[in-house]
Amino acid sequence: MTTQLIDSFNRRIDYVRISVTDRCDLRCNYCMPKGFTDYEEPKDWLTFDEIERVVKAFTALGVENIRLTGGEPLLRKDLPVLVSRLSQVDGIDDISLSTNATQLEKHAVALKTAGLNRLNVSMDSVDPKRFHELCGRDALDDVLKGLKAAKEANLNPIKINSVYLHDTPDHEVDALVEFCIENHFVLRLIEAMPMGDTGRAAGKSNLQKTKLRLQSQYGLTETIERGPGPAKYLVSGDGQFKIGFITPMSQHFCESCNRVRLSVDGTLYLCLGQNDRFELRPLLRSGASQTELIEAIQDAIKMKPERHEFNESPKKIIRIMARTGG
């Protein structure tokens, strides 16, 4: 059996994003529709045992990087227990978490102790009023407390993920930059994508002018550093500040895509911007052997499309980001 997972376009898949819930305690206006209640039933969530089985199948195929996502993953009960279990799986090199940090203050130490390696925090503004407008709750103070707790727990590096909208003003971006410089966080700006009606309503964004402006304003230079994700980074002259740009709309990175997403109900989404998928839960609950699970994943990866079509077919993806998984 091969120790690497290679798709039909000769891309090695070594990164899996695993959603542990589709629920969230924020209502970001580019993500989840107002009044949304179409959540997966808990009986259909993958259990921790099932998630561990899937992770072991992927590691048998050379996957090294796991990210836990949602919805808001810290709404899943006993998440540090899952982190601990996955950290002990042979072959896992890195376990990270994407969170909005509203619940992070009470979980940071337990997550660090459990073996969490890295943390990405979604935060679109450091202005309380703007944060409330974008995220539907006056929760910025909770996020800041969560970030403080994460720093004190030595959950490093901490990356701040901020969705860049077509009408995001320069001063909002600059405030995020200054906040990250002050706190030694890595900032990552992400172009909004047309995922569901809410994503399309957010408008088409393009980071290229903002990237050039920040590069000049802060004396940043290109770096060849790449992580498991798609961000391309600029770094300050003293090396103390890094900012990444994730540009699925203006400069897609499909040729180097190395990831798939597993939703909370066991659906393996093979591309964020396509509808290709493979259902793993029926296999897990019908007594399939680990070998059969591994072979199913290999078959699924053959279905991974070459690229998304966000620009060509912006109405194609009906599902919202929270249902897809991070």
Side-chain angles (χ1 to χ4, degrees):
M1 184 176 295
T2 180
T3 57
Q4 289 194 344
L5 196 56
I6 308 295
D7 74 1
S8 300
F9 303 95
N10 204 35
R11 296 172 296 198
R12 182 187 173 198
I13 310 303
D14 62 3
Y15 179 24
V16 180
R17 299 173 66 100
I18 299 174
S19 175
V20 296
T21 181
D22 56 349
R23 288 158 169 76
C24 189
D25 55 351
L26 297 182
R27 288 294 180 274
C28 298
N29 56 26
Y30 52 80
C31 179
M32 193 176 291
K34 290 182 179 180
F36 180 83
T37 59
D38 188 23
Y39 299 110
E40 293 291 341
E41 294 292 331
K43 65 180 177 59
D44 293 329
W45 298 355
L46 293 192
T47 66
F48 286 1
D49 285 342
E50 291 167 337
I51 292 173
E52 186 175 350
R53 278 198 67 191
V54 173
V55 168
K56 286 180 176 178
F58 271 108
T59 58
L61 294 166
V63 168
E64 301 166 337
N65 303 291
I66 297 294
R67 175 171 293 278
L68 300 178
T69 72
E72 170 44 49
L74 290 176
L75 296 180
R76 181 76 183 255
K77 185 179 179 182
D78 296 326
L79 187 67
V81 173
L82 177 63
V83 172
S84 179
R85 291 176 62 168
L86 298 184
S87 71
Q88 297 174 57
V89 173
D90 288 341
I92 291 297
D93 180 61
D94 181 75
I95 301 177
S96 53
L97 176 73
S98 290
T99 174
N100 63 29
T102 59
Q103 311 292 318
L104 186 57
E105 183 181 20
K106 56 190 176 185
H107 294 296
V109 172
L111 289 166
K112 177 67 175 181
T113 302
L116 188 71
N117 299 114
R118 295 184 297 113
L119 189 67
N120 285 10
V121 172
S122 299
M123 186 172 74
D124 296 327
S125 178
V126 293
D127 176 77
K129 182 179 179 181
R130 173 76 170 169
F131 185 98
H132 193 174
E133 290 173 352
L134 289 171
C135 301
R137 271 187 59 203
D138 183 15
L140 180 59
D141 191 51
D142 291 334
V143 174
L144 296 177
K145 288 177 180 177
L147 284 167
K148 182 175 183 291
K151 287 179 67 175
E152 292 174 349
N154 292 315
L155 271 171
N156 294 312
I158 296 173
K159 296 179 180 178
I160 302 298
N161 285 354
S162 180
V163 173
Y164 182 85
L165 304 172
H166 74 282
D167 58 353
T168 298
D170 288 350
H171 69 84
E172 284 283 338
V173 175
D174 293 346
L176 282 164
V177 170
E178 296 296 337
F179 173 79
C180 289
I181 290 174
E182 179 182 349
N183 288 281
H184 305 287
F185 297 149
V186 177
L187 177 61
R188 307 200 313 167
L189 300 177
I190 306 168
E191 291 174 348
M193 291 168 278
M195 298 283 293
D197 290 340
T198 47
R200 284 185 282 276
K204 189 173 181 179
S205 63
N206 187 320
L207 272 167
Q208 298 308 315
K209 289 184 179 179
T210 296
K211 179 180 179 180
L212 290 173
R213 180 181 68 80
L214 293 176
Q215 190 169 7
S216 174
Q217 186 171 329
Y218 290 92
L220 306 173
T221 57
E222 299 275 357
T223 174
I224 61 173
E225 177 187 344
R226 296 295 300 273
K232 294 184 178 179
Y233 289 94
L234 300 177
V235 64
S236 60
D238 60 7
Q240 296 300 302
F241 172 65
K242 286 194 304 183
I243 179 170
F245 299 84
I246 300 177
T247 56
M249 303 305 297
S250 66
Q251 197 174 61
H252 75 77
F253 34 81
C254 301
E255 70 281 354
S256 61
C257 183
N258 64 336
R259 69 204 68 90
V260 291
R261 289 170 167 82
L262 184 69
S263 69
V264 68
D265 69 344
T267 302
L268 191 63
Y269 288 102
L270 301 164
C271 174
L272 193 59
Q274 297 285 4
N275 289 311
D276 304 83
R277 67 187 75 183
F278 191 95
E279 304 292 341
L280 290 179
R281 190 181 72 216
L283 281 172
L284 291 164
R285 298 192 177 176
S286 64
S289 69
Q290 199 68 4
T291 297
E292 290 171 326
L293 183 59
I294 290 170
E295 291 173 348
I297 289 172
Q298 289 176 309
D299 289 340
I301 295 303
K302 294 175 184 176
M303 300 163 50
K304 184 173 172 64
E306 184 175 13
R307 62 185 300 270
H308 67 68
E309 297 174 327
F310 284 140
N311 288 310
E312 299 89 338
S313 304
K315 296 182 180 181
K316 187 171 189 176
I317 304 302
I318 299 172
R319 66 182 186 274
I320 62 174
M321 181 70 81
R323 290 294 298 271
T324 304

